[in-house]
Amino acid sequence: MTEPISPAVEKPDTDEYRTGTTGTTLQSARSGAGQPPATRGRTTIAGGVVEKIAGLAAREVPGIHALGGGFARTIGAMRDRVPRARGAAVSRGVKVEVGERQTAIDLDVVVEYGVSITAVAAEVRENVIAAVERMTGLEVVEVNISVDDVHLPDDGSSDGSEVRVQ
């Protein structure tokens, strides 16, 4: 999905440039001479990077118990028990669309019982937008939040999977 990095070289459309009479060489034009270093080349940010940033920022908000729907949390709980598979847990429940300058984020969350869902959702949006924009420079155009469950205080399952009595 990532495109190779190739700096764009603007060549003036003059006879002096083509003939080389101005003293400008092709080598100096290609090296970006005269341009600030920050503008030489392109930076692309993978969707997984934005997912991790958004997932961590959402989890920082008080009142968020977990991210991901019921099935995703159950599968994730099993995956978390496997060594070296913990990286996926950070982005569980997060989906993103990343463009060149903008991104949109969808979050599936589980909130703690007793908190104001609207207040928690607003705080999640603020925290996610601030973190993603600060770290990536992308404009966050929307953060859609789907509340999939409410975690009850006496619910003994911490991973979201069902507890069965035998």
Side-chain angles (χ1 to χ4, degrees):
M1 279 190 133
T2 58
E3 297 177 21
I5 298 174
S6 60
V9 178
E10 293 185 25
K11 299 176 186 173
D13 190 24
T14 63
D15 289 333
E16 292 86 18
Y17 181 79
R18 279 189 232 104
T19 60
T21 58
T22 62
T24 303
T25 64
L26 187 56
Q27 182 61 32
S28 65
R30 281 195 180 141
S31 69
Q35 297 177 1
T39 63
R40 297 181 196 173
R42 289 179 41 179
T43 303
T44 57
I45 300 171
V49 172
V50 177
E51 287 176 350
K52 286 182 181 181
I53 295 168
L56 289 170
R59 284 178 174 82
E60 291 175 352
V61 176
I64 294 294
H65 175 72
L67 268 64
F71 182 72
R73 289 194 322 271
T74 301
I75 297 299
M78 292 186 317
R79 187 182 303 135
D80 289 346
R81 292 187 179 113
V82 177
R84 298 184 191 198
R86 295 186 189 268
V90 175
S91 59
R92 183 183 316 135
V94 183
K95 296 178 199 88
V96 300
E97 291 180 33
V98 179
E100 288 186 25
R101 294 186 186 105
Q102 297 177 326
T103 186
I105 302 167
D106 295 329
L107 300 170
D108 294 329
V109 301
V110 177
V111 297
E112 295 287 346
Y113 175 78
V115 300
S116 167
I117 293 174
T118 56
V120 168
E123 192 172 343
V124 166
R125 276 190 188 91
E126 290 176 14
N127 207 38
V128 168
I129 290 169
V132 171
E133 288 184 347
R134 177 178 46 84
M135 293 182 70
T136 67
L138 295 169
E139 176 190 4
V140 179
V141 293
E142 64 182 9
V143 177
N144 299 311
I145 299 173
S146 174
V147 179
D148 292 333
D149 201 358
V150 174
H151 180 259
L152 302 176
D154 59 299
D155 187 3
S157 63
S158 61
D159 60 9
S161 60
E162 285 186 35
V163 177
R164 296 185 182 204
V165 179
Q166 296 182 0

